[in-house]
mmCIF file of all heavy atoms in Angstrom:
data_model
loop_
_atom_site.group_PDB
_atom_site.id
_atom_site.type_symbol
_atom_site.label_atom_id
_atom_site.label_comp_id
_atom_site.label_asym_id
_atom_site.label_seq_id
_atom_site.Cartn_x
_atom_site.Cartn_y
_atom_site.Cartn_z
ATOM 1 N N VAL A 193 -11.063 -21.884 -110.320
ATOM 2 C CA VAL A 193 -9.613 -21.846 -110.091
ATOM 3 C C VAL A 193 -9.293 -21.484 -108.642
ATOM 4 O O VAL A 193 -8.378 -22.044 -108.031
ATOM 5 C CB VAL A 193 -8.945 -20.845 -111.057
ATOM 6 C CG1 VAL A 193 -7.468 -20.633 -110.694
ATOM 7 C CG2 VAL A 193 -9.072 -21.335 -112.500
ATOM 8 N N LEU A 194 -10.065 -20.556 -108.077
ATOM 9 C CA LEU A 194 -9.785 -20.050 -106.727
ATOM 10 C C LEU A 194 -10.704 -20.650 -105.670
ATOM 11 O O LEU A 194 -10.818 -20.099 -104.563
ATOM 12 C CB LEU A 194 -9.911 -18.524 -106.716
ATOM 13 C CG LEU A 194 -8.965 -17.757 -107.643
ATOM 14 C CD1 LEU A 194 -9.283 -16.266 -107.607
ATOM 15 C CD2 LEU A 194 -7.514 -17.996 -107.240
ATOM 16 N N ASP A 195 -11.324 -21.759 -105.975
ATOM 17 C CA ASP A 195 -12.341 -22.330 -105.086
ATOM 18 C C ASP A 195 -11.822 -22.578 -103.672
ATOM 19 O O ASP A 195 -12.499 -22.264 -102.685
ATOM 20 C CB ASP A 195 -12.877 -23.635 -105.686
ATOM 21 C CG ASP A 195 -14.036 -24.211 -104.885
ATOM 22 O OD1 ASP A 195 -15.016 -23.478 -104.665
ATOM 23 O OD2 ASP A 195 -13.955 -25.385 -104.478
ATOM 24 N N ASP A 196 -10.640 -23.143 -103.551
ATOM 25 C CA ASP A 196 -10.096 -23.449 -102.218
ATOM 26 C C ASP A 196 -9.905 -22.178 -101.397
ATOM 27 O O ASP A 196 -10.192 -22.153 -100.193
ATOM 28 C CB ASP A 196 -8.763 -24.192 -102.345
ATOM 29 C CG ASP A 196 -8.933 -25.586 -102.936
ATOM 30 O OD1 ASP A 196 -10.052 -26.127 -102.840
ATOM 31 O OD2 ASP A 196 -7.963 -26.121 -103.493
ATOM 32 N N ASP A 197 -9.422 -21.122 -102.044
ATOM 33 C CA ASP A 197 -9.228 -19.845 -101.355
ATOM 34 C C ASP A 197 -10.570 -19.222 -100.973
ATOM 35 O O ASP A 197 -10.741 -18.705 -99.869
ATOM 36 C CB ASP A 197 -8.430 -18.901 -102.252
ATOM 37 C CG ASP A 197 -7.418 -18.066 -101.469
ATOM 38 O OD1 ASP A 197 -7.083 -18.437 -100.325
ATOM 39 O OD2 ASP A 197 -6.944 -17.050 -102.014
ATOM 40 N N TYR A 198 -11.529 -19.260 -101.894
ATOM 41 C CA TYR A 198 -12.850 -18.698 -101.627
ATOM 42 C C TYR A 198 -13.541 -19.403 -100.456
ATOM 43 O O TYR A 198 -14.249 -18.772 -99.662
ATOM 44 C CB TYR A 198 -13.732 -18.796 -102.877
ATOM 45 C CG TYR A 198 -13.471 -17.730 -103.918
ATOM 46 C CD1 TYR A 198 -13.892 -17.898 -105.236
ATOM 47 C CD2 TYR A 198 -12.834 -16.540 -103.603
ATOM 48 C CE1 TYR A 198 -13.674 -16.928 -106.200
ATOM 49 C CE2 TYR A 198 -12.608 -15.562 -104.555
ATOM 50 C CZ TYR A 198 -13.034 -15.761 -105.853
ATOM 51 O OH TYR A 198 -12.818 -14.786 -106.792
ATOM 52 N N LYS A 199 -13.357 -20.697 -100.353
ATOM 53 C CA LYS A 199 -13.996 -21.452 -99.269
ATOM 54 C C LYS A 199 -13.521 -20.999 -97.902
ATOM 55 O O LYS A 199 -14.272 -21.067 -96.920
ATOM 56 C CB LYS A 199 -13.730 -22.947 -99.448
ATOM 57 C CG LYS A 199 -14.583 -23.605 -100.529
ATOM 58 C CD LYS A 199 -14.248 -25.077 -100.685
ATOM 59 C CE LYS A 199 -15.145 -25.730 -101.738
ATOM 60 N NZ LYS A 199 -14.774 -27.137 -101.977
ATOM 61 N N LYS A 200 -12.275 -20.533 -97.807
ATOM 62 C CA LYS A 200 -11.744 -20.051 -96.530
ATOM 63 C C LYS A 200 -12.551 -18.867 -96.008
ATOM 64 O O LYS A 200 -12.673 -18.663 -94.802
ATOM 65 C CB LYS A 200 -10.272 -19.644 -96.692
ATOM 66 C CG LYS A 200 -9.334 -20.787 -97.026
ATOM 67 C CD LYS A 200 -7.928 -20.259 -97.287
ATOM 68 C CE LYS A 200 -6.993 -21.369 -97.750
ATOM 69 N NZ LYS A 200 -5.645 -20.836 -98.096
ATOM 70 N N ALA A 201 -13.080 -18.058 -96.940
ATOM 71 C CA ALA A 201 -13.874 -16.885 -96.567
ATOM 72 C C ALA A 201 -15.377 -17.166 -96.612
ATOM 73 O O ALA A 201 -16.185 -16.281 -96.343
ATOM 74 C CB ALA A 201 -13.540 -15.719 -97.478
ATOM 75 N N GLY A 202 -15.745 -18.383 -96.984
ATOM 76 C CA GLY A 202 -17.160 -18.739 -97.040
ATOM 77 C C GLY A 202 -17.888 -18.232 -98.265
ATOM 78 O O GLY A 202 -19.122 -18.147 -98.270
ATOM 79 N N PHE A 203 -17.145 -17.913 -99.336
ATOM 80 C CA PHE A 203 -17.780 -17.412 -100.552
ATOM 81 C C PHE A 203 -18.431 -18.561 -101.327
ATOM 82 O O PHE A 203 -17.829 -19.618 -101.506
ATOM 83 C CB PHE A 203 -16.757 -16.714 -101.446
ATOM 84 C CG PHE A 203 -16.255 -15.414 -100.903
ATOM 85 C CD1 PHE A 203 -15.060 -14.874 -101.353
ATOM 86 C CD2 PHE A 203 -16.966 -14.710 -99.945
ATOM 87 C CE1 PHE A 203 -14.584 -13.667 -100.860
ATOM 88 C CE2 PHE A 203 -16.495 -13.501 -99.439
ATOM 89 C CZ PHE A 203 -15.305 -12.985 -99.899
ATOM 90 N N LYS A 204 -19.653 -18.305 -101.784
ATOM 91 C CA LYS A 204 -20.414 -19.304 -102.543
ATOM 92 C C LYS A 204 -20.594 -18.793 -103.968
ATOM 93 O O LYS A 204 -21.611 -18.193 -104.306
ATOM 94 C CB LYS A 204 -21.756 -19.554 -101.870
ATOM 95 C CG LYS A 204 -21.626 -20.066 -100.436
ATOM 96 C CD LYS A 204 -22.964 -20.181 -99.739
ATOM 97 C CE LYS A 204 -22.787 -20.663 -98.304
ATOM 98 N NZ LYS A 204 -24.083 -20.749 -97.585
ATOM 99 N N MET A 205 -19.608 -19.064 -104.809
ATOM 100 C CA MET A 205 -19.567 -18.471 -106.141
ATOM 101 C C MET A 205 -19.997 -19.438 -107.247
ATOM 102 O O MET A 205 -20.535 -19.016 -108.269
ATOM 103 C CB MET A 205 -18.158 -17.968 -106.438
ATOM 104 C CG MET A 205 -17.603 -16.997 -105.406
ATOM 105 S SD MET A 205 -18.406 -15.397 -105.437
ATOM 106 C CE MET A 205 -17.681 -14.697 -106.914
ATOM 107 N N LEU A 206 -19.711 -20.723 -107.077
ATOM 108 C CA LEU A 206 -20.027 -21.689 -108.131
ATOM 109 C C LEU A 206 -21.514 -22.029 -108.108
ATOM 110 O O LEU A 206 -22.126 -22.097 -107.036
ATOM 111 C CB LEU A 206 -19.170 -22.952 -107.979
ATOM 112 C CG LEU A 206 -17.677 -22.737 -108.266
ATOM 113 C CD1 LEU A 206 -16.868 -23.961 -107.877
ATOM 114 C CD2 LEU A 206 -17.456 -22.402 -109.737
ATOM 115 N N PRO A 207 -22.117 -22.286 -109.278
ATOM 116 C CA PRO A 207 -23.577 -22.345 -109.370
ATOM 117 C C PRO A 207 -24.228 -23.606 -108.826
ATOM 118 O O PRO A 207 -25.373 -23.575 -108.402
ATOM 119 C CB PRO A 207 -23.828 -22.239 -110.880
ATOM 120 C CG PRO A 207 -22.603 -22.823 -111.505
ATOM 121 C CD PRO A 207 -21.478 -22.404 -110.596
ATOM 122 N N MET A 208 -23.512 -24.743 -108.866
ATOM 123 C CA MET A 208 -24.137 -26.013 -108.528
ATOM 124 C C MET A 208 -23.595 -26.552 -107.205
ATOM 125 O O MET A 208 -22.464 -26.297 -106.831
ATOM 126 C CB MET A 208 -23.891 -27.046 -109.630
ATOM 127 C CG MET A 208 -24.313 -26.574 -111.019
ATOM 128 S SD MET A 208 -26.051 -26.057 -111.141
ATOM 129 C CE MET A 208 -26.881 -27.615 -110.833
ATOM 130 N N ALA A 209 -24.409 -27.332 -106.516
ATOM 131 C CA ALA A 209 -23.968 -27.977 -105.279
ATOM 132 C C ALA A 209 -22.779 -28.888 -105.584
ATOM 133 O O ALA A 209 -22.790 -29.629 -106.561
ATOM 134 C CB ALA A 209 -25.114 -28.790 -104.680
ATOM 135 N N GLY A 210 -21.789 -28.832 -104.741
ATOM 136 C CA GLY A 210 -20.592 -29.639 -104.996
ATOM 137 C C GLY A 210 -19.525 -28.878 -105.734
ATOM 138 O O GLY A 210 -18.375 -29.288 -105.772
ATOM 139 N N GLY A 211 -19.913 -27.737 -106.344
ATOM 140 C CA GLY A 211 -18.921 -26.852 -106.935
ATOM 141 C C GLY A 211 -18.297 -27.336 -108.212
ATOM 142 O O GLY A 211 -18.906 -27.263 -109.292
ATOM 143 N N LYS A 212 -17.094 -27.863 -108.132
ATOM 144 C CA LYS A 212 -16.295 -28.183 -109.324
ATOM 145 C C LYS A 212 -16.701 -29.542 -109.884
ATOM 146 O O LYS A 212 -16.041 -30.554 -109.649
ATOM 147 C CB LYS A 212 -14.804 -28.152 -108.966
ATOM 148 C CG LYS A 212 -14.331 -26.789 -108.502
ATOM 149 C CD LYS A 212 -12.849 -26.762 -108.175
ATOM 150 C CE LYS A 212 -12.531 -27.508 -106.900
ATOM 151 N NZ LYS A 212 -11.114 -27.370 -106.513
ATOM 152 N N ASN A 213 -17.785 -29.558 -110.631
ATOM 153 C CA ASN A 213 -18.298 -30.817 -111.180
ATOM 154 C C ASN A 213 -18.875 -30.596 -112.580
ATOM 155 O O ASN A 213 -18.877 -29.482 -113.103
ATOM 156 C CB ASN A 213 -19.361 -31.416 -110.242
ATOM 157 C CG ASN A 213 -20.490 -30.440 -109.954
ATOM 158 O OD1 ASN A 213 -20.863 -29.622 -110.794
ATOM 159 N ND2 ASN A 213 -21.032 -30.495 -108.748
ATOM 160 N N LEU A 214 -19.377 -31.665 -113.170
ATOM 161 C CA LEU A 214 -19.899 -31.616 -114.539
ATOM 162 C C LEU A 214 -21.084 -30.667 -114.660
ATOM 163 O O LEU A 214 -21.232 -29.970 -115.668
ATOM 164 C CB LEU A 214 -20.282 -33.024 -114.996
ATOM 165 C CG LEU A 214 -20.881 -33.139 -116.411
ATOM 166 C CD1 LEU A 214 -19.898 -32.612 -117.456
ATOM 167 C CD2 LEU A 214 -21.277 -34.584 -116.712
ATOM 168 N N LYS A 215 -21.946 -30.624 -113.636
ATOM 169 C CA LYS A 215 -23.114 -29.746 -113.698
ATOM 170 C C LYS A 215 -22.695 -28.275 -113.809
ATOM 171 O O LYS A 215 -23.286 -27.509 -114.572
ATOM 172 C CB LYS A 215 -23.991 -29.953 -112.462
ATOM 173 C CG LYS A 215 -24.713 -31.299 -112.433
ATOM 174 C CD LYS A 215 -25.598 -31.431 -111.205
ATOM 175 C CE LYS A 215 -26.328 -32.763 -111.192
ATOM 176 N NZ LYS A 215 -27.177 -32.915 -109.986
ATOM 177 N N THR A 216 -21.676 -27.899 -113.055
ATOM 178 C CA THR A 216 -21.162 -26.536 -113.156
ATOM 179 C C THR A 216 -20.554 -26.292 -114.525
ATOM 180 O O THR A 216 -20.754 -25.236 -115.140
ATOM 181 C CB THR A 216 -20.113 -26.283 -112.057
ATOM 182 O OG1 THR A 216 -20.774 -26.276 -110.792
ATOM 183 C CG2 THR A 216 -19.412 -24.941 -112.256
ATOM 184 N N ALA A 217 -19.800 -27.273 -115.024
ATOM 185 C CA ALA A 217 -19.174 -27.152 -116.349
ATOM 186 C C ALA A 217 -20.237 -26.975 -117.437
ATOM 187 O O ALA A 217 -20.040 -26.205 -118.386
ATOM 188 C CB ALA A 217 -18.316 -28.378 -116.638
ATOM 189 N N ILE A 218 -21.356 -27.669 -117.310
ATOM 190 C CA ILE A 218 -22.445 -27.543 -118.294
ATOM 191 C C ILE A 218 -23.051 -26.138 -118.231
ATOM 192 O O ILE A 218 -23.368 -25.537 -119.266
ATOM 193 C CB ILE A 218 -23.525 -28.619 -118.051
ATOM 194 C CG1 ILE A 218 -22.968 -30.005 -118.406
ATOM 195 C CG2 ILE A 218 -24.778 -28.330 -118.874
ATOM 196 C CD1 ILE A 218 -23.884 -31.154 -118.047
ATOM 197 N N GLN A 219 -23.220 -25.611 -117.006
ATOM 198 C CA GLN A 219 -23.714 -24.235 -116.866
ATOM 199 C C GLN A 219 -22.788 -23.243 -117.578
ATOM 200 O O GLN A 219 -23.247 -22.343 -118.287
ATOM 201 C CB GLN A 219 -23.799 -23.882 -115.377
ATOM 202 C CG GLN A 219 -24.896 -24.588 -114.623
ATOM 203 C CD GLN A 219 -26.245 -23.929 -114.826
ATOM 204 O OE1 GLN A 219 -26.356 -22.706 -114.860
ATOM 205 N NE2 GLN A 219 -27.275 -24.731 -114.985
ATOM 206 N N ILE A 220 -21.493 -23.422 -117.396
ATOM 207 C CA ILE A 220 -20.514 -22.553 -118.058
ATOM 208 C C ILE A 220 -20.635 -22.662 -119.577
ATOM 209 O O ILE A 220 -20.597 -21.666 -120.296
ATOM 210 C CB ILE A 220 -19.085 -22.904 -117.587
ATOM 211 C CG1 ILE A 220 -18.911 -22.532 -116.112
ATOM 212 C CG2 ILE A 220 -18.037 -22.194 -118.445
ATOM 213 C CD1 ILE A 220 -17.604 -22.991 -115.505
ATOM 214 N N MET A 221 -20.812 -23.881 -120.067
ATOM 215 C CA MET A 221 -20.942 -24.105 -121.512
ATOM 216 C C MET A 221 -22.188 -23.418 -122.068
ATOM 217 O O MET A 221 -22.146 -22.790 -123.129
ATOM 218 C CB MET A 221 -21.003 -25.610 -121.796
ATOM 219 C CG MET A 221 -21.101 -25.968 -123.273
ATOM 220 S SD MET A 221 -22.807 -25.964 -123.941
ATOM 221 C CE MET A 221 -23.529 -27.345 -123.041
ATOM 222 N N ILE A 222 -23.306 -23.506 -121.357
ATOM 223 C CA ILE A 222 -24.566 -22.944 -121.845
ATOM 224 C C ILE A 222 -24.456 -21.427 -122.015
ATOM 225 O O ILE A 222 -24.853 -20.862 -123.045
ATOM 226 C CB ILE A 222 -25.725 -23.297 -120.889
ATOM 227 C CG1 ILE A 222 -26.036 -24.805 -120.975
ATOM 228 C CG2 ILE A 222 -26.974 -22.475 -121.219
ATOM 229 C CD1 ILE A 222 -27.013 -25.287 -119.925
ATOM 230 N N TYR A 223 -23.901 -20.763 -121.021
ATOM 231 C CA TYR A 223 -23.786 -19.304 -121.105
ATOM 232 C C TYR A 223 -22.777 -18.887 -122.173
ATOM 233 O O TYR A 223 -22.958 -17.866 -122.843
ATOM 234 C CB TYR A 223 -23.397 -18.721 -119.742
ATOM 235 C CG TYR A 223 -24.567 -18.607 -118.797
ATOM 236 C CD1 TYR A 223 -24.895 -19.640 -117.926
ATOM 237 C CD2 TYR A 223 -25.370 -17.469 -118.792
ATOM 238 C CE1 TYR A 223 -25.975 -19.548 -117.067
ATOM 239 C CE2 TYR A 223 -26.456 -17.366 -117.939
ATOM 240 C CZ TYR A 223 -26.761 -18.407 -117.080
ATOM 241 O OH TYR A 223 -27.841 -18.309 -116.242
ATOM 242 N N THR A 224 -21.726 -19.678 -122.346
ATOM 243 C CA THR A 224 -20.755 -19.383 -123.407
ATOM 244 C C THR A 224 -21.399 -19.560 -124.777
ATOM 245 O O THR A 224 -21.157 -18.771 -125.697
ATOM 246 C CB THR A 224 -19.527 -20.300 -123.274
ATOM 247 O OG1 THR A 224 -19.006 -20.195 -121.944
ATOM 248 C CG2 THR A 224 -18.437 -19.895 -124.258
ATOM 249 N N LEU A 225 -22.237 -20.572 -124.920
ATOM 250 C CA LEU A 225 -22.948 -20.814 -126.172
ATOM 251 C C LEU A 225 -23.835 -19.623 -126.541
ATOM 252 O O LEU A 225 -23.939 -19.258 -127.722
ATOM 253 C CB LEU A 225 -23.794 -22.083 -126.043
ATOM 254 C CG LEU A 225 -24.660 -22.484 -127.243
ATOM 255 C CD1 LEU A 225 -23.789 -22.783 -128.460
ATOM 256 C CD2 LEU A 225 -25.528 -23.695 -126.899
ATOM 257 N N LEU A 226 -24.453 -19.007 -125.553
ATOM 258 C CA LEU A 226 -25.338 -17.869 -125.802
ATOM 259 C C LEU A 226 -24.604 -16.671 -126.411
ATOM 260 O O LEU A 226 -25.216 -15.839 -127.079
ATOM 261 C CB LEU A 226 -26.020 -17.436 -124.504
ATOM 262 C CG LEU A 226 -27.062 -18.393 -123.922
ATOM 263 C CD1 LEU A 226 -27.530 -17.907 -122.563
ATOM 264 C CD2 LEU A 226 -28.244 -18.554 -124.871
ATOM 265 N N LEU A 227 -23.300 -16.602 -126.180
ATOM 266 C CA LEU A 227 -22.530 -15.480 -126.714
ATOM 267 C C LEU A 227 -22.476 -15.484 -128.247
ATOM 268 O O LEU A 227 -22.307 -14.438 -128.871
ATOM 269 C CB LEU A 227 -21.097 -15.508 -126.161
ATOM 270 C CG LEU A 227 -20.936 -15.109 -124.694
ATOM 271 C CD1 LEU A 227 -19.509 -15.365 -124.220
ATOM 272 C CD2 LEU A 227 -21.318 -13.643 -124.478
ATOM 273 N N ILE A 228 -22.622 -16.664 -128.849
ATOM 274 C CA ILE A 228 -22.522 -16.755 -130.312
ATOM 275 C C ILE A 228 -23.663 -16.004 -131.003
ATOM 276 O O ILE A 228 -23.413 -15.116 -131.827
ATOM 277 C CB ILE A 228 -22.420 -18.220 -130.774
ATOM 278 C CG1 ILE A 228 -21.132 -18.843 -130.204
ATOM 279 C CG2 ILE A 228 -22.438 -18.310 -132.305
ATOM 280 C CD1 ILE A 228 -20.986 -20.332 -130.481
ATOM 281 N N PRO A 229 -24.932 -16.306 -130.689
ATOM 282 C CA PRO A 229 -25.999 -15.505 -131.332
ATOM 283 C C PRO A 229 -25.997 -14.044 -130.884
ATOM 284 O O PRO A 229 -26.319 -13.153 -131.672
ATOM 285 C CB PRO A 229 -27.293 -16.218 -130.895
ATOM 286 C CG PRO A 229 -26.921 -17.017 -129.691
ATOM 287 C CD PRO A 229 -25.497 -17.418 -129.890
ATOM 288 N N LEU A 230 -25.622 -13.789 -129.635
ATOM 289 C CA LEU A 230 -25.574 -12.404 -129.172
ATOM 290 C C LEU A 230 -24.556 -11.586 -129.963
ATOM 291 O O LEU A 230 -24.765 -10.399 -130.227
ATOM 292 C CB LEU A 230 -25.219 -12.361 -127.681
ATOM 293 C CG LEU A 230 -26.337 -12.693 -126.694
ATOM 294 C CD1 LEU A 230 -25.787 -12.806 -125.273
ATOM 295 C CD2 LEU A 230 -27.439 -11.652 -126.745
ATOM 296 N N GLY A 231 -23.459 -12.221 -130.361
ATOM 297 C CA GLY A 231 -22.425 -11.539 -131.125
ATOM 298 C C GLY A 231 -22.876 -11.106 -132.509
ATOM 299 O O GLY A 231 -22.225 -10.268 -133.152
#
């Protein structure tokens, strides 16, 4: 959500090259999926 603002300060927060893409979305999905058995 804050990617444009973060880039102004040089922050590298998103996990995949290119940032806001399907690969990052898949990473988010995988970690969210792990919450189900952990719960």
Side-chain angles (χ1 to χ4, degrees):
V193 171
L194 299 175
D195 186 54
D196 293 337
D197 219 18
Y198 280 161
K199 283 178 178 176
K200 295 175 185 176
F203 290 160
K204 300 174 181 178
M205 305 290 285
L206 291 171
M208 306 304 295
K212 298 181 288 186
N213 55 33
L214 179 59
K215 290 182 179 179
T216 292
I218 291 173
Q219 289 279 320
I220 292 173
M221 182 275 294
I222 290 171
Y223 280 91
T224 307
L225 178 62
L226 291 174
L227 287 172
I228 297 174
L230 282 172

